[in-house]
Amino acid sequence: MNVKVAILAHPDIALFELGCATELFGLHRPEFSDGYSAEVVCFESGPFKTIAGVQITARQITTLEEFDMLVIPSWPVQKSQIPATLAKAIKESEQMKKRILSFCSGSFLLGYLGLLNNRMATTHWRYESVFRSIFPSTHYAPNVLYTLDQHLGCSAGSSAAIDLGLAVIREDYGSARANSIARRLVLSGHRKGGQSQFVETPVEVRPNRVSDAIEWALAKLDGEISIDSMADQATMSRRNFDRTFRKQLGVSPQEWLISQRIVLARRLIEESGANIEEVASRTGFSSAGNLRHHFRKHLGVSPRQYRDNFCH
């Protein structure tokens, strides 16, 4: 089986995602007798100037009839003019149940065309709130590396495009082929966990009594901290402290405290050689088991899996 793939170029194309698409589906692999043949195409006249002065030239087409699959490496988050020929071609491909993959913000193009209504989809975590507000009829998956809803696939972010691509290769040609290509890319054939393990968690609080309690707690994450003691630091009653904290940060004090301990644990795992028991002790978790429980609950992976992902 040979699959002919169109990779969509446009004036706002993201080079990394374009590179992922060409590496996955456009690179000649002589060790396999069948596979993908890919071409970068466009629906607007080029060349297109991208970041760092790079210009891209691609064959201009008006239809996707000759292709079996379409890859959309990226698309502007804010709605922009969609060429009529492009919109028509993508909708026709979807009606014919041809596979369509979007990488990172590429899902916005599918959303603007109405192809994600009542379907499972995802995008980069930075765009989640915007995506949800623009496409309320889409079933958004918040903590996954990719989604595959029948013939439509979406990757969560830039490197997650490779995860989605490998999943498609696995579906088309089997695990052995996908694992072989993953080894060529020096990657795991299948990453564990979702994208929450990559989300930054900054603390943004205006200076006030609650922030005084937060600063106090952040300096003592390796020890026991009760919410009552945080309320005392804020010179507030426990009830008022809980209500004010949730209003300002959107979470309860206990939820915030656990998340900050997870942030510290992540940093220790990434930057130190401490074992899991030491990390648990230095982050205020009562035991390694407690750390593992909260780590998996928040990030979808165990501390060991997280270390494997980021430290090897």
Side-chain angles (χ1 to χ4, degrees):
M1 178 182 69
N2 289 288
V3 179
K4 194 168 183 181
V5 182
I7 301 173
L8 178 65
H10 53 84
D12 300 291
I13 190 73
L15 291 182
F16 182 84
E17 287 82 348
L18 176 62
C20 290
T22 55
E23 177 76 19
L24 287 164
F25 304 113
L27 186 65
H28 177 57
R29 304 185 189 278
E31 64 269 36
F32 304 120
S33 60
D34 55 2
Y36 303 95
S37 61
E39 182 180 7
V40 178
V41 298
C42 62
F43 283 76
E44 304 170 73
S45 60
F48 305 127
K49 187 175 182 180
T50 64
I51 60 173
V54 176
Q55 289 192 334
I56 292 178
T57 301
R59 177 166 70 98
Q60 186 173 357
I61 60 176
T62 58
T63 178
L64 291 168
E65 288 181 0
E66 64 184 284
F67 297 98
D68 306 303
M69 182 168 79
L70 170 66
V71 179
I72 306 167
S74 65
W75 192 260
V77 172
Q78 300 300 324
K79 188 171 186 178
S80 58
Q81 186 66 35
I82 301 175
T85 53
L86 172 61
K88 181 174 181 291
I90 293 179
K91 289 180 178 179
E92 288 177 346
S93 292
E94 196 280 330
Q95 290 170 359
M96 296 174 66
K97 307 300 181 184
K98 292 184 178 182
R99 183 184 282 133
I100 302 175
L101 306 182
S102 69
F103 293 169
C104 196
S105 62
S107 56
F108 280 83
L109 175 55
L110 298 180
Y112 287 130
L113 293 177
L115 303 186
L116 297 180
N117 292 342
N118 299 314
R119 288 187 178 275
M120 188 72 70
T122 194
T123 190
H124 194 287
W125 57 264
R126 288 180 59 193
Y127 308 135
E128 177 180 347
S129 60
V130 177
F131 191 94
R132 286 181 180 273
S133 64
I134 297 176
F135 311 118
S137 297
T138 300
H139 303 308
Y140 186 82
N143 184 31
V144 296
L145 295 175
Y146 61 84
T147 60
L148 269 173
D149 189 328
Q150 297 181 24
H151 56 285
L152 295 182
C154 304
S155 81
S158 301
S159 62
I162 299 176
D163 295 283
L164 173 58
L166 290 174
V168 168
I169 294 169
R170 188 179 302 110
E171 186 174 293
D172 287 346
Y173 296 102
S175 296
R177 175 83 61 96
N179 290 337
S180 174
I181 293 174
R183 285 194 295 271
R184 286 272 297 271
L185 294 171
V186 198
L187 293 171
S188 168
H190 180 73
R191 282 196 291 175
K192 298 180 177 67
Q195 60 177 319
S196 64
Q197 58 188 306
F198 307 100
V199 179
E200 297 172 358
T201 53
V203 178
E204 298 180 5
V205 184
R206 295 184 300 274
N208 53 32
R209 289 187 293 172
V210 169
S211 66
D212 290 341
I214 284 175
E215 290 180 10
W216 174 83
L218 287 174
K220 299 179 177 295
L221 287 176
D222 59 341
E224 288 190 23
I225 301 173
S226 69
I227 306 305
D228 286 336
S229 63
M230 289 183 67
D232 290 340
Q233 291 296 317
T235 63
M236 300 168 69
S237 69
R238 171 63 187 272
R239 182 177 180 182
N240 188 31
F241 179 74
D242 286 346
R243 183 173 61 251
T244 305
F245 196 102
R246 183 178 288 278
K247 181 178 180 181
Q248 291 189 8
L249 279 80
V251 295
S252 71
Q254 187 64 36
E255 290 169 333
W256 174 87
L257 184 58
I258 291 173
S259 70
Q260 293 308 306
R261 284 179 162 153
I262 292 293
V263 169
L264 178 57
R266 288 168 61 176
R267 187 161 65 246
L268 290 174
I269 290 172
E270 292 174 20
E271 300 175 1
S272 77
N275 60 39
I276 302 305
E277 288 73 16
E278 291 173 318
V279 172
S281 176
R282 293 167 63 180
T283 54
F285 288 106
S286 57
S287 65
N290 197 24
L291 168 62
R292 292 187 183 96
H293 167 75
H294 288 292
F295 213 90
R296 187 176 291 280
K297 180 179 179 181
H298 280 71
L299 304 182
V301 293
S302 70
R304 183 177 298 278
Q305 290 168 336
Y306 186 85
R307 173 165 277 160
D308 289 342
N309 281 346
F310 285 94
C311 303
H312 288 179

